Amino acid sequence: MTQTTDLLAGLAEIDPASALAAAREQREAATTHSQGSYLALFSEDDADFPRDERFILAAQVALWHQDSILSAHYAQQAGNTPPGERLQLALDHAERLTFQPVTATAAHLGALQQAGWTLSAIVTLSQLVAFVSFQSRVLHGLRLLADRPVAAHGNPAVTAGVWHTQPFSHSGKTAPVAFTQRELEWEPWIAAKPLAEFDPQQQQTLARFGHSDSDYFRLLARNLPLLEQRTLTDKGIFFTSGGLPRAERELAATVASKVNGCIYCASVHARKAAQLSKQPEIIQQLLDVAPGKVLSEHQSPRWQAEIEFAAAISATPTSAAPQHIQALRDQGLSELELLDLLQSTAFFAWANRLMLTLGEPYIAEEKTL
């Protein structure tokens, strides 16, 4: 490993004396555990998923996001492993997660298993692609905030993405076909690790984060060190004082989920945004935006600027540009608020890609009295 302290600060060329550096220090947990997630992914050399393959995949994912800086970082550490059938299937999976995660199916994970990918390796592969999707967006946003050059990908209005509209899940449960604020359930396409198979210390880690009874988190816990770092990154982004109001962080998560077509994530975070902002009708209006339609219409000037930035960051490749930052500054957002908005949005490039490609939501049957 050539970087063990703060990879993103170096790649973004952040001036240590800048307001941005000070804001990142205030968000030390997010900064530390984003780096910790990187190390958890790329320090390990697992026989089921060798580090050389991880660097090859990460370099390609960053390249698909048109992030030449991040891609070069990973390419420098990648070897020359020829892409046999096993690695080619992983690249196919990575490409799907990068560009069209909403098109993933249970059969795609079955194909990986048939090619020799273990359940733990499939989880780590999916985490890697989703993490680099997050990392590239944070890096792009940090370079914008640091007034460094970024790749210009045009600046079209980013619209709501498509989503699943089939009425039943893979297992035959009733599936949601529209964005909603109601509570949904989620089921994995590959087996979550049973709680009894974790040792006592691992069970304590799961319990500390409230993950013991969740199929989703016990599935991700097939790589528990990475899940722990990811969870701490999440908490460092969303559960910190000062800066961007929590309702607007949840708004950013909802916008990213609309762009990516993740009905489950949107349901959770739209509900939180509605509760905290006390504007459930405005949040529902956002959820109701049809595929191909602009997300920011009929919103307040501040929310319009935030939604347009969050949508642009969520695009693949990201289309966030200096004018987005200026529009946010014109609405009075501080450096810390800008950082919070960036990281809240970028985290859902990670979360959506896991939710959409490792399983799917369903509507739980209502209990009768």
Side-chain angles (χ1 to χ4, degrees), residues 74-112:
Y74 284 121
Q76 286 170 2
Q77 300 175 82
N80 296 311
T81 302
E85 180 185 357
R86 179 180 176 280
L87 184 55
Q88 186 57 56
L89 271 175
L91 284 163
D92 293 343
H93 183 66
E95 186 173 15
R96 187 177 304 110
L97 265 69
T98 299
F99 292 109
Q100 294 183 308
V102 76
T103 65
T105 67
H108 293 131
L109 300 188
L112 286 169

Side-chain angles (χ1 to χ4, degrees), residues 28-29 37-38 77 140 190 194 220 257 300 317 324 326 351 356:
E28 181 183 4
S37 300
Y38 164 76
Q77 300 175 82
H140 185 95
I190 56 177
L220 296 186
S257 300
S300 68
H324 289 106
Q326 188 58 54
L356 286 168

Side-chain angles (χ1 to χ4, degrees), residues 291-349:
K293 299 298 183 181
V294 176
L295 291 159
S296 60
E297 290 183 350
H298 312 301
Q299 300 288 347
S300 68
R302 179 182 171 105
W303 277 29
Q304 183 174 3
E306 291 177 345
I307 290 169
E308 288 177 357
F309 173 76
I313 280 288
S314 300
T316 303
T318 178
S319 61
Q323 54 264 42
H324 289 106
I325 300 297
Q326 188 58 54
L328 292 164
R329 294 195 194 280
D330 289 346
Q331 291 301 316
L333 271 72
S334 68
E335 204 74 8
L336 182 59
E337 288 177 311
L338 290 168
L339 178 64
D340 286 340
L341 180 62
L342 166 63
Q343 295 192 141
S344 299
T345 305
F347 188 80
F348 276 79

Side-chain angles (χ1 to χ4, degrees), residues 193-262:
K193 188 172 179 177
L195 187 61
E197 292 184 12
F198 293 94
D199 66 35
Q201 184 176 357
Q202 292 171 331
Q203 289 188 21
Q204 286 180 6
T205 299
L206 289 170
R208 177 160 59 99
F209 296 123
H211 291 345
S212 303
D213 297 327
S214 166
D215 280 345
Y216 174 65
F217 288 112
R218 283 189 291 102
L219 175 59
L220 296 186
R222 288 187 176 279
N223 186 330
L224 187 56
L226 177 56
L227 173 59
E228 183 173 13
Q229 290 301 313
R230 180 187 181 275
T231 302
L232 292 168
T233 303
D234 182 0
K235 291 183 179 299
I237 290 172
F238 284 92
F239 299 92
T240 45
S241 60
L244 194 71
R246 174 76 185 281
E248 293 174 19
R249 302 185 208 193
E250 300 293 349
L251 174 69
T254 305
V255 171
S257 300
K258 280 289 293 183
V259 172
N260 291 319
C262 188

Side-chain angles (χ1 to χ4, degrees), residues 43-56:
S43 294
E44 182 183 45
D45 196 12
D46 185 345
D48 287 339
F49 190 5
R51 190 165 61 185
D52 187 53
E53 290 184 354
R54 299 185 191 200
F55 283 127
I56 290 170

